[in-house]
């Protein structure tokens, strides 16, 4: 989704492969420090942004001539005015549509508007657009609002956004689509749905999660010549399979199953046996040495479906397992409660999902040996809040979960977030085809297999997320609608062997 130009900040192995993400205030601070170091006005960056936009638009829509450029009252609008001036110089036909008159602007935005007017350009006010008989645009540029959106959009701005979304033309968003909160990824009422977004200086963390994934479209980044100073810590890190697959080296030729861990998965209660089966199959396909399933006594043996999955007979030594998974299809009955009470205090690595998390919400505790993988509903129960509050700021939610419960937390959803208490990683791989039963069970199995093979919990969670998302993207080649969790299994095996 993101085309990248530039080097990641190198601190440790996975960070050297990840891409930094930023909050809006960090971007503003970078701009100010850059201007101070270089002894240049910030207007230089506005000029660079306008030039970058012009080149970008001409490259991606070379046949377009009739550009409608919607400009706002701040610096985002200033970028639009400079773009219009450069486009006019190229012989194109930009129409500037403003939500505020140029003589009411301030600072660099006013300067950019005045230079556009001095070059012979004109401005149409947004409220006049409906009455003007105009040819349809070939390209629409959204330069209304930048990174400072913190409150719901006004009624007038909401109408302009609706106009942009209703035009039958591609939309290029300047820096980020108008209406998007750059830090949380939430739409502040209305949201421009861009075809492409060209963002500047650095990628804002909210662009890749929550509503950002619907508004941004294809995302590209231009740093405008601004480099990050040493010692500046990103707000989060973007990860994906192409970046992290280097963490999956080939096995030693002397490898045997005893070196790659023994995983015990507990769940698969009545009516939910498929959940534990999927988790077990994913665990095997991700490379665990041996896998057992612990289910209620009357559950049919999983070996009837997958011969390599062993059962868990009464009296089996619990010390057999090096990693445990609690939750897929666990249920809420007395058997499930007994399993939770038995396994929750284990000192070995533990993955909690599904009903394992629901039991934890009823008996909260803090441990550092586990990986928790809640979806927003489970996260809300764990935090004692609403789903809307979780989704309103997913970064804050994953941080709260990690502080309260410890270990590593993977908050699933559009733009899954992983927090280990020191860093937040964002995986934006995956697709809407994953909105079907069993997908989370696969993720639990993958993470458990990686833990069993020796990866630390944080790395196992990050690798698990990108393998899971990449497998779904590969499986979706045959269509997102109707995609099943089991469709991902062949791809999981392929992805844990990146040298093939």
């Amino acid at each position: 989704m993101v085309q990248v130009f530039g080097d990641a900040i190198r601190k440790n192995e996975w960070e050297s492969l990840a891409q930094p993400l930023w909050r809006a205030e960090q971007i503003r601070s970078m701009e100010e420090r850059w201007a101070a170091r270089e002894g240049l006005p910030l207007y230089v960056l506005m000029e660079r942004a306008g030039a970058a936009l012009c080149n970008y638009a001409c490259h991606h829509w070379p046949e377009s001539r009739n550009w409608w450029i919607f400009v706002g009252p701040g610096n985002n609008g200033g970028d639009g005015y400079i773009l219009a001036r450069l486009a006019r110089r190229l012989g194109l036909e930009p129409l500037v549509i403003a939500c505020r008159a140029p003589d009411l602007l301030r600072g660099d935005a006013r300067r950019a508007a005045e230079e556009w007017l001095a070059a012979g350009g004109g401005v149409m006010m947004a409220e006049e657009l409906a009455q003007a008989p105009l040819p349809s645009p070939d390209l629409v540029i959204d330069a209304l609002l930048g990174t400072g959106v913190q409150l719901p959009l006004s009624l007038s701005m909401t109408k302009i956004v609706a106009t942009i979304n209703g035009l039958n033309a591609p939309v290029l968003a300047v820096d980020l689509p108008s209406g998007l909160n750059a830090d949380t990824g939430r739409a502040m009422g209305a949201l421009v749905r861009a075809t492409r977004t060209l963002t500047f200086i650095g990628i804002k963390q909210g662009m890749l999660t929550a509503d950002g994934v619907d508004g941004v479209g294809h995302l590209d980044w231009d740093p405008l010549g601004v480099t990050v100073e040493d010692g500046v810590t990103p707000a989060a890190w973007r990860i994906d399979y192409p970046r992290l697959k280097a963490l999956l080296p080939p096995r030693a030729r002397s490898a045997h199953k005893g070196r790659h861990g023994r995983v015990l998965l507990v769940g698969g209660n009545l009516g939910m046996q498929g959940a534990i089966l999927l988790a077990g199959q994913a665990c095997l396909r991700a490379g665990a040495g041996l896998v057992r399933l612990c289910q209620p006594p009357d559950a049919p043996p999983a070996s009837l479906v997958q011969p390599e999955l062993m059962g868990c007979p009464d009296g089996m030594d619990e010390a057999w397992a090096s990693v445990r998974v609690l939750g897929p299809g666990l249920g809420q009955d007395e058997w499930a409660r007994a399993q939770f009470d038995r396994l929750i205090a284990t000192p070995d690595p533990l993955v909690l999902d599904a009903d394992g998390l629901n039991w934890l919400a009823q008996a909260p505790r803090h441990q550092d040996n586990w990986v928790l993988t809640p979806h927003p509903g489970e996260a809300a129960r764990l935090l004692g809040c609403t789903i809307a509050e979780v989704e309103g700021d997913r970064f804050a939610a994953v941080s709260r979960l990690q502080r309260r419960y410890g270990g590593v937390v993977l908050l699933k959803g559009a733009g899954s977030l992983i927090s280990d208490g020191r860093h937040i990683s964002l995986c934006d791989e995956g697709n809407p085809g994953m909105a079907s039963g069993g997908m989370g069970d696969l993720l639990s199995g993958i993470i458990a297999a990686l833990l069993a093979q020796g990866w630390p919990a944080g790395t196992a969670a990050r690798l698990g997320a990108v393998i899971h998302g990449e497998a779904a993207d590969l499986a979706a080649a045959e269509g997102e609608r109707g995609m099943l969790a089991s469709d991902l299994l062949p791809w999981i095996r392929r992805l844990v062997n990146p040298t093939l």
Side-chain angles (χ1 to χ4, degrees):
M1 179 180 175
V2 181
Q3 186 176 354
V4 179
F5 307 95
D7 294 327
I9 296 175
R10 297 182 178 272
K11 291 184 179 178
N12 61 36
E13 190 173 17
W14 72 262
E15 285 182 8
S16 71
L17 300 168
Q19 179 179 26
L21 304 176
W22 308 95
R23 292 187 298 273
E25 65 182 60
Q26 292 179 295
I27 297 294
R28 288 190 287 271
S29 180
M30 286 182 205
E31 293 173 343
E32 292 168 359
R33 290 197 301 271
W34 173 87
R37 288 197 312 270
E38 300 295 325
L40 295 171
L42 286 171
Y43 192 71
V44 170
L45 291 181
M46 187 174 286
E47 291 179 316
R48 291 182 183 180
L53 287 163
C54 191
N55 292 334
Y56 187 87
C58 290
H59 173 75
H60 288 288
W61 297 280
E63 303 302 320
S64 66
R65 294 189 54 81
N66 185 16
W67 295 2
W68 286 15
I69 305 175
F70 289 82
V71 295
N75 287 345
N76 203 250
D79 296 342
Y81 278 112
I82 291 175
L83 167 63
R85 176 163 52 83
L86 296 175
R88 190 169 186 268
R89 187 181 298 170
L90 292 175
L92 303 176
E93 300 173 10
L95 172 65
V96 173
I97 304 163
C99 66
R100 183 177 297 176
D103 59 352
L104 298 179
L105 303 179
R106 293 181 296 177
D108 288 343
R110 178 161 185 159
R111 175 179 172 181
E114 289 174 343
E115 290 184 355
W116 162 245
L117 295 172
V123 173
M124 172 180 287
M125 299 306 297
E127 57 268 24
E128 301 171 353
L129 187 60
Q131 288 77 39
L134 297 169
S136 298
D138 303 319
L139 176 65
V140 176
I141 291 95
D142 164 28
L144 284 172
L145 302 170
T147 59
V149 178
Q150 300 293 327
L151 298 174
L153 270 58
S154 66
L155 179 60
S156 60
M157 192 64 72
T158 298
K159 291 180 178 178
I160 298 174
V161 169
T163 297
I164 291 174
N165 289 337
L167 292 170
N168 186 26
V171 177
L172 168 60
V174 175
D175 205 19
L176 77 167
S178 292
L180 184 68
N181 185 305
D183 294 338
T184 68
R186 296 309 300 180
M188 306 307 290
L191 174 65
V192 167
R193 295 181 179 270
T195 309
R196 307 183 76 98
T197 298
L198 180 61
T199 198
F200 301 124
I201 312 299
I203 297 174
K204 293 74 181 172
Q205 64 178 19
M207 304 181 84
L208 301 178
T209 193
D211 297 318
V213 301
D214 288 322
V216 164
H218 184 97
L219 176 59
D220 287 306
W221 161 47
D222 192 324
L224 303 181
V226 176
T227 56
V228 180
E229 298 170 290
D230 291 339
V232 179
T233 302
W237 299 86
R238 178 182 176 268
I239 56 174
D240 59 18
Y241 176 78
R243 293 173 180 279
L244 296 196
K245 67 180 181 180
L247 302 179
L248 294 160
R251 285 182 169 176
R253 304 319 303 161
S254 59
H256 58 79
K257 62 179 179 289
R259 289 187 181 178
H260 300 294
R262 299 178 300 277
V263 181
L264 175 66
L265 297 102
V266 182
N269 214 325
L270 295 180
M272 297 178 288
Q273 294 93 336
I276 200 76
L277 177 61
L278 285 167
Q281 290 175 311
C283 195
L284 288 170
R285 289 302 187 187
L290 294 165
V291 181
R292 288 186 183 272
L293 305 187
C294 177
Q295 298 178 258
D298 52 354
S303 59
L304 295 175
V305 178
Q306 188 74 53
E308 297 84 356
L309 287 173
M310 299 180 289
C312 185
D314 290 340
M316 190 196 80
D317 185 2
E318 285 292 333
W320 175 87
S322 57
V323 175
R324 293 166 172 81
V325 178
L326 179 64
L330 180 63
Q332 292 283 319
D333 61 8
E334 287 304 314
W335 179 85
R337 178 58 184 263
Q339 304 311 308
F340 177 82
D341 291 341
R342 181 170 61 89
L343 294 178
I344 195 66
T346 178
D348 297 316
L350 177 64
V351 179
L352 255 65
D353 186 29
D355 278 324
L357 297 169
N358 292 330
W359 284 110
L360 179 62
Q362 297 178 40
R365 58 191 295 158
H366 187 287
Q367 294 182 190
D368 288 325
N369 66 320
W370 56 24
V371 178
L372 311 181
T373 62
H375 59 53
E378 293 157 349
R381 287 189 284 276
L382 288 165
L383 292 173
C385 66
T386 65
I387 295 174
E389 288 173 307
V390 170
E391 292 289 79
D393 190 339
R394 290 171 52 80
F395 295 93
V398 76
S399 295
R400 288 175 59 202
L401 285 165
Q402 199 285 326
R403 288 194 301 269
R404 181 172 297 186
Y405 293 95
V408 176
V409 178
L410 193 162
L411 178 58
K412 294 180 287 196
S416 292
L417 302 178
I418 302 108
S419 174
D420 60 9
R422 297 180 300 117
H423 307 284
I424 295 177
S425 301
L426 187 154
C427 173
D428 63 335
E429 293 186 287
N431 59 78
M434 300 174 78
S436 62
M439 291 291 178
D441 303 314
L442 297 180
L443 179 61
S444 295
I446 296 169
I447 294 172
L450 295 169
L451 288 169
Q453 293 169 83
W455 277 275
T459 304
R462 295 181 187 100
L463 276 172
V466 301
I467 291 167
H468 188 232
E470 182 81 358
D473 286 342
L474 292 168
E478 297 183 16
E480 293 177 353
R481 188 174 286 112
M483 187 170 73
L484 304 180
S486 56
D487 294 335
L488 277 59
L489 289 167
W491 294 110
I492 292 169
R493 181 186 180 191
R494 176 76 179 180
L495 294 169
V496 296
N497 294 283
T499 57
L500 294 180

